Amino acid sequence: MRLLRDDSLESANARLGTRFWIYPQPPFIPGYEQPDRVWLSIPRDEIGAGPSDVTMYVVDPAYDKQPYGFDRFPPFEGERRPPARPGPDRHFDNMVPGSRPFLAVHAYACVRFVLDIWQSYLGRPIRWFFDQRFPRLEIVAFVDWDNAQAGYGFLELGCSEVDGIRRPYALNFDTIAHEVGHLVMLSETGIPSGIPRDDDFFSFSEAFADIVSLISFLHFDSAIDRLLRRTRGNLLLYNELNRFAETSPETQIRLATNFRQMHAVTREVHDRALPFIGAIFDSIVDLYHRDLVANGCADGSLLDFDIRELARDEFDRFRQATADAFGIKPLTFKRALTDARDAIGQALALSLRTLDPNMLTLAQAASAVIDKAGDAAAERLESNFVWREII
Ligand SMILES: [Zn+2]
């Protein structure tokens, strides 16, 4: 009888989810040296060694592997390192950061963390766009290659090398989240039947992937806390939100807080993605400000200004007021930010199914996001997309 009760308790516990370590930013970024312990929604009895589950598995090749592409596809059939295994409690936070198996476990945890978020926004599971041919995503934990890529049935992670120091992308949440963003988008829109005529398809893909990285990063409690504490609640200051695909503290590859408008970008896909990313970022900040004003944490006049044209003295006044309010009610700031994040994130996620990958333009993508947003978010999105000259 007692045994029976313990068994059922054990299986109920296993359903609670699984613990992992994740670095919200790569550990060489100052302030992010320690990983967060996170609970992922997948039950312990649904994860095997690797880690692996019914939708994905990690491999760590024993020798150099050629990157996938052109005529090379998964599954990886070469010799593998032994798969990472959970501890006796079946959680994966038994790994020592810095060990080789940690790379595999960290990569898996990042992919699952991002999927948990975007499936929550969609309200249903994401089915891989390649599931007719490959039922599961293969995650290659380490390839000796200065890149990371997601494609038909795979996500593989190389490493960057700066000043002779090799930094595996398996430890880089931004990079992994970006690649998962590509997979989420294609799984929702479907893949184009040919090479899309318009560069907008690729620009939107890059914009969406960067936004997935940004919004997913904002799901780490520790990251939000650190961000708000350091800026005293003022998101217009330089901060972590601006960083994507960080490879060293000095190198920022793309910026979300950019002021680019469509007339000022080139045809290069990443450059052409910047106004869209900027419009999304500005909309999150606008909603955040609205919430602060509504809760007495900022002066109402803040909403009268175009934040892109805030003069120095206005900015200083706003900074002082928010810093004072933040000292008293930090949790109001945190809730304002998570609400703004989710209002925009959910609209984006829900917009994907309405897009036609063969005809996609940035203007259509923008309108689709506005259509899926609530009133306050839609109004801000529209105004920002207009300013960016996207619609
Ligand atoms: Zn990309």
Side-chain angles (χ1 to χ4, degrees):
M1 189 63 190
R2 185 176 157 70
L3 190 66
L4 188 68
R5 210 176 317 138
D6 284 348
D7 273 357
S8 58
L9 188 64
E10 173 53 29
S11 81
N13 275 339
R15 308 302 296 174
L16 288 178
T18 313
R19 286 195 313 262
F20 286 85
W21 293 111
I22 297 184
Y23 289 102
Q25 294 275 283
F28 56 84
I29 302 284
Y32 287 93
E33 296 84 355
Q34 300 300 324
D36 283 12
R37 190 180 254 130
V38 298
W39 281 85
L40 300 180
S41 65
I42 184 163
R44 275 174 282 163
D45 53 9
E46 291 180 17
I47 309 185
S52 61
D53 61 45
V54 292
T55 58
M56 63 181 83
Y57 61 97
V58 187
V59 298
D60 191 357
Y63 307 105
D64 281 354
K65 169 192 168 299
Q66 290 290 315
Y68 288 131
F70 302 112
D71 53 353
R72 278 193 299 274
F73 288 99
F76 175 70
E77 280 165 343
E79 197 166 331
R80 304 175 178 194
R81 288 168 191 265
R85 294 184 185 281
D89 57 3
R90 297 169 78 182
H91 289 290
F92 278 89
D93 57 356
N94 59 324
M95 292 289 154
V96 183
S99 66
R100 179 74 185 215
F102 185 81
L103 292 182
V105 175
H106 190 265
Y108 173 90
C110 292
V111 175
R112 273 252 150 248
F113 186 86
V114 175
L115 277 184
D116 273 5
I117 295 163
W118 293 83
Q119 289 185 157
S120 297
Y121 287 150
L122 289 166
R124 53 184 157 71
I126 291 164
R127 286 191 50 190
W128 301 126
F129 64 92
F130 45 76
D131 71 350
Q132 297 291 320
R133 180 162 167 202
F134 303 113
R136 299 196 294 165
L137 173 72
E138 181 178 288
I139 302 167
V140 184
F142 190 84
V143 187
D144 191 4
W145 180 50
D146 181 17
N147 208 344
Q149 64 168 353
Y152 210 80
F154 63 86
L155 188 166
E156 57 185 347
L157 302 162
C159 66
S160 65
E161 188 164 340
V162 179
D163 300 333
I165 302 170
R166 279 156 46 109
R167 290 169 171 158
Y169 285 120
L171 297 182
N172 191 320
F173 178 80
D174 281 352
T175 301
I176 297 171
H178 177 98
E179 296 304 326
V180 175
H182 282 305
L183 297 176
V184 168
M185 179 197 150
L186 288 173
S187 296
E188 288 296 305
T189 62
I191 45 177
S193 48
I195 304 281
R197 218 165 12 95
D198 203 297
D199 296 342
D200 276 14
F201 176 82
F202 298 106
S203 296
F204 176 69
S205 300
E206 292 308 324
F208 183 78
D210 269 351
I211 294 162
V212 165
S213 176
L214 167 72
I215 288 180
S216 302
F217 169 70
L218 287 176
H219 279 262
F220 290 103
D221 275 348
S222 69
I224 289 198
D225 286 346
R226 198 175 291 138
L227 176 65
L228 291 177
R229 276 201 299 271
R230 206 174 61 237
T231 59
R232 310 289 296 155
N234 187 337
L235 294 188
L236 302 178
L237 290 172
Y238 176 78
N239 57 49
E240 285 95 339
L241 288 178
N242 308 357
R243 298 172 180 230
F244 289 97
E246 186 78 51
T247 50
S248 83
E250 294 78 29
T251 311
Q252 292 167 26
I253 296 179
R254 292 190 285 277
L255 298 175
T257 52
N258 67 77
F259 296 117
R260 305 290 290 280
Q261 292 167 293
M262 289 308 285
H263 76 264
V265 295
T266 64
R267 302 298 298 177
E268 196 279 320
V269 291
H270 296 96
D271 197 45
R272 208 172 148 71
L274 288 173
F276 199 99
I277 300 167
I280 293 293
F281 179 78
D282 288 350
S283 300
I284 293 175
V285 174
D286 283 353
L287 288 177
Y288 170 75
H289 286 161
R290 243 154 230 261
D291 202 317
L292 294 185
V293 169
N295 284 289
C297 296
D299 190 282
S301 64
L302 176 65
L303 305 180
D304 302 334
F305 294 113
D306 181 336
I307 56 173
R308 288 163 295 243
E309 289 163 11
L310 215 52
R312 185 78 222 180
D313 60 329
E314 291 156 355
F315 180 80
D316 287 344
R317 197 157 51 82
F318 165 60
R319 177 159 65 176
Q320 190 53 48
T322 47
D324 293 346
F326 184 75
I328 299 164
K329 31 186 182 179
L331 296 183
T332 306
F333 284 71
K334 185 172 179 178
R335 195 194 34 70
L337 181 52
T338 55
D339 283 357
R341 168 199 76 191
D342 292 338
I344 301 295
Q346 182 147 42
L348 263 161
L350 295 175
S351 73
L352 293 175
R353 276 270 169 105
T354 68
L355 301 176
D356 176 351
N358 293 305
M359 315 282 284
L360 183 63
T361 65
L362 286 171
Q364 285 166 346
S367 299
V369 180
I370 294 167
D371 284 349
K372 293 292 181 184
D375 289 347
E379 193 253 321
R380 288 292 82 216
L381 284 161
E382 181 165 3
S383 152
N384 287 316
F385 281 127
V386 166
W387 188 84
R388 298 284 172 168
E389 302 166 341
I390 292 171
I391 54 174

